[in-house]
Amino acid sequence: MTTKQSASPAFQGKAKQSSLVPGHTAVPVSSDWVARSLRSVWHPCTQMQHHETMPLVAVSHGRGAWLYDHEGRRYLDGISSWWVNLFGHANPRINAQLKDQLDRLEHAMLAGFTHEPVVQLSERLSTLAQNVLGHCFYASDGASAVEIALKMSFHFWRNSGREQKQEFVCLKDSYHGETVGALGVTDVALFKDAYGPLLRQAHIAPSPDARGARPGETAAGVAHRAIAGLEALLQERADRIAAVIVEPLVQCAAGMAMYDALYLTELRRVCDAYDVHMIADEIAVGCGRSGTFFACEQAGVWPDFLCLSKGISGGYLPLSLVMTREHIYRAFYDNDVTRGFLHSHSYTGNPLACRAALATLDIFAEDDVLNVNRQRAARLTQALQPLAKHPRVRHFRNQGMIWAFDVVFDGPEQQSGFARRYFTSALQHELLLRPIGNTVYLMPPYILDDDDIEHLASRTLTVLNEVLNLS
């Protein structure tokens, strides 16, 4: 980006001043950090030219549910910083565990070595999965976990003498990450189309998104119809299909598409009937986000592979993992090196990240988080009722600690750039919200008090009216 762009009026300010942040020494104000970032950092999921007019916020520090910039402005983190932060920023309990771990072991390779945090974390996750799933394989980000699950499924069938099972199935509008393998099982054109020639395309099965209900049809009816479409595909190609991958209960990047748990029950049935693996991508919906620790619990089923990331470390450090079943693990257990799962990452099972995850699980256990969240969710749902009844809102919905609604517009001028305009206006009202297309969603940390709930609910409505020119 050119110097002229970096000095765009959107970011001009008192660049030579400094600001005192509580507990910090004098630091340059936000405009300094913004200009330097625009010169040196290529930001993710961003058309960088948009930052000529759209704010880039330079964060100084975080406390609880709030982020603060260098000039003392605050923003309620209504999306948990891309769905990762569960118990607030700078959580003292997680901080204490990490500080202790720093004096013990920062990292050691996990090939030929092991360490206490990765063993304890693996054991505790297996217990949470009722020991149906275990043998945790670690990476750093969600897309890497998806890649691992896809490779494990493919390799399992190869080790089992069924090399022809090489194909995958994903749902319409699904999103599973942006590495090449993960994009192959993604159905969001914005992320996928540019890289089409690089990808191995998956089969696309109907989505059980309840918003697709026909007149008089229930969410369960949509789920039955979607399963029928998948089963027709499996009847034709199950001998070549390795696995079906889904986000249980909520397809997040599809505009928070929520669906009936019956779909997962039926998915387990058809995967068993046609000898196809079920991969549960719980990267966004796991760790209590859907209302239970694992989303699949609400359907009373377990997948063959379960991917976790985002909230598992409390939003502190990059960590992802795949859990699988004993018989799958045993298919790789052999004297022949080529039958092993020869996949690795340099920071696999990093002790600091695992310790953050252990501290996160401690909070779940000690604070009865899942039950308390049900009460918190009921309060926020009630506070959002004026918004749910808004004449421009459709499909107001909630699953656990996720809320979403779709916005309808008067004309194309209101729809154009809606997500960016909403994001910008929300910042002016002390909110961090980042709509997906015409879908506004809330995915806050699990620590909101009554004042935070009122702030989030009332200002989400205020911003909507402002952006639609209704205020």
Side-chain angles (χ1 to χ4, degrees):
M1 187 160 283
T2 65
T3 303
K4 180 179 179 181
Q5 289 171 331
S6 297
S8 165
F11 306 109
Q12 289 175 352
K14 301 175 182 178
K16 299 301 182 183
Q17 293 184 4
S18 63
S19 176
L20 289 176
V21 175
H24 294 67
T25 56
V27 293
V29 294
S30 295
S31 53
D32 273 0
W33 292 115
V34 166
R36 288 166 64 180
S37 189
L38 291 174
R39 284 194 298 268
S40 60
V41 180
W42 197 337
H43 291 266
C45 202
T46 299
Q47 170 49 264
M48 291 298 292
Q49 191 181 64
H50 289 165
H51 278 309
E52 292 186 16
T53 56
M54 187 175 73
L56 180 67
V57 179
V59 175
S60 164
H61 66 291
R63 290 289 183 274
W66 296 85
L67 293 169
Y68 296 82
D69 67 19
H70 290 276
E71 291 157 320
R73 290 182 292 259
R74 65 176 192 164
Y75 311 92
L76 181 65
D77 192 351
I79 60 172
S80 297
S81 290
W82 253 349
W83 322 344
V84 301
N85 188 283
L86 301 190
F87 298 117
H89 300 281
N91 183 287
R93 291 152 77 181
I94 302 176
N95 288 358
Q97 294 291 322
L98 283 174
K99 289 172 183 175
D100 178 75
Q101 186 62 41
L102 276 169
D103 288 330
R104 296 172 181 267
L105 177 66
E106 82 299 337
H107 184 65
M109 63 187 291
L110 207 61
F113 289 83
T114 194
H115 52 77
E116 187 175 330
V118 77
V119 173
Q120 291 181 333
L121 179 58
S122 302
E123 290 173 343
R124 290 179 66 174
L125 288 171
S126 183
T127 299
L128 287 170
Q130 299 176 10
N131 297 310
V132 176
L133 300 173
H135 300 294
C136 297
F137 195 102
Y138 289 87
S140 300
D141 58 85
S144 295
V146 169
E147 299 269 349
I148 288 165
L150 296 174
K151 287 177 65 177
M152 279 184 174
S153 177
F154 168 89
H155 202 162
F156 170 88
W157 295 117
R158 180 175 180 269
N159 282 354
S160 302
R162 302 175 69 181
E163 294 88 346
Q164 75 278 12
K165 288 173 76 68
Q166 301 180 5
E167 300 173 4
F168 294 95
V169 181
C170 63
L171 299 184
K172 184 179 184 299
D173 299 325
S174 61
Y175 173 90
H176 297 287
E178 292 163 37
T179 52
V180 171
L183 273 180
V185 290
T186 287
D187 186 43
V188 180
L190 178 65
F191 300 120
K192 182 176 182 178
D193 283 1
Y195 309 103
L198 299 177
L199 305 180
R200 181 170 183 158
Q201 303 290 343
H203 299 283
I204 308 297
S207 169
D209 182 354
R211 293 176 297 179
R214 296 167 179 170
E217 188 176 36
T218 64
V222 179
H224 275 302
R225 183 156 47 87
I227 280 292
L230 172 63
E231 191 160 11
L233 171 63
L234 295 182
Q235 285 173 348
E236 179 184 348
R237 299 193 67 85
D239 62 329
R240 297 172 200 148
I241 290 173
V244 180
I245 183 169
V246 299
E247 286 181 278
L249 300 180
V250 187
Q251 293 180 253
C252 293
M256 299 298 160
M258 299 182 186
Y259 61 87
D260 197 290
L262 172 69
Y263 182 84
L264 298 175
T265 305
E266 288 295 288
L267 176 60
R268 181 70 273 176
R269 176 185 65 79
V270 299
C271 284
D272 288 341
Y274 293 93
D275 208 11
V276 168
H277 290 147
M278 174 182 171
I279 302 174
D281 174 354
E282 297 217 10
I283 290 160
V285 299
C287 301
R289 187 59 73 178
S290 67
T292 47
F293 190 84
F294 297 113
C296 284
E297 293 179 73
Q298 296 183 45
V301 301
W302 294 107
D304 299 296
F305 302 92
L306 191 146
C307 304
L308 284 181
S309 189
K310 292 192 181 289
I312 188 59
S313 72
Y316 267 69
L317 289 164
L319 182 67
S320 66
L321 61 102
V322 176
M323 304 174 71
T324 192
R325 294 174 179 256
E326 177 71 18
H327 78 276
I328 291 174
Y329 174 79
R330 285 289 160 189
F332 294 83
Y333 199 87
D334 196 278
N335 191 49
D336 183 350
V337 172
T338 65
R339 290 176 64 87
F341 189 61
L342 305 182
H343 183 103
S344 62
H345 297 269
S346 299
Y347 284 92
T348 294
N350 173 260
L352 288 167
C354 290
R355 190 70 182 272
L358 287 167
T360 298
L361 295 184
D362 286 344
I363 295 174
F364 269 102
E366 294 165 8
D367 292 4
D368 195 19
V369 167
L370 296 176
N371 284 325
V372 173
N373 271 358
R374 292 185 187 102
Q375 301 166 30
R376 183 175 287 114
R379 294 201 302 274
L380 183 51
T381 299
Q382 181 60 40
L384 289 168
Q385 287 311 296
L387 195 148
K389 298 172 183 175
H390 194 285
R392 298 289 186 83
V393 166
R394 301 290 183 272
H395 302 296
F396 178 86
R397 52 201 182 275
N398 165 239
Q399 176 68 53
M401 289 293 289
I402 307 172
W403 292 261
F405 59 89
D406 303 329
V407 179
V408 294
F409 305 98
D410 256 353
E413 69 284 349
Q414 279 191 343
Q415 185 169 0
S416 176
F418 168 77
R420 293 199 301 275
R421 289 186 289 114
Y422 194 101
F423 168 77
T424 300
S425 178
L427 292 177
Q428 296 167 359
H429 290 276
E430 298 186 323
L431 284 183
L432 168 54
L433 293 176
R434 188 181 169 100
I436 301 170
N438 72 321
T439 298
V440 179
Y441 72 90
L442 314 178
M443 204 183 282
Y446 304 164
I447 59 167
L448 299 188
D449 61 24
D450 288 343
D451 288 341
D452 295 334
I453 286 172
E454 191 282 329
H455 181 100
L456 179 58
S458 64
R459 300 203 182 191
T460 300
L461 176 59
T462 297
V463 173
L464 179 64
N465 285 329
E466 185 174 286
V467 172
L468 295 179
N469 299 314
L470 299 175
S471 55

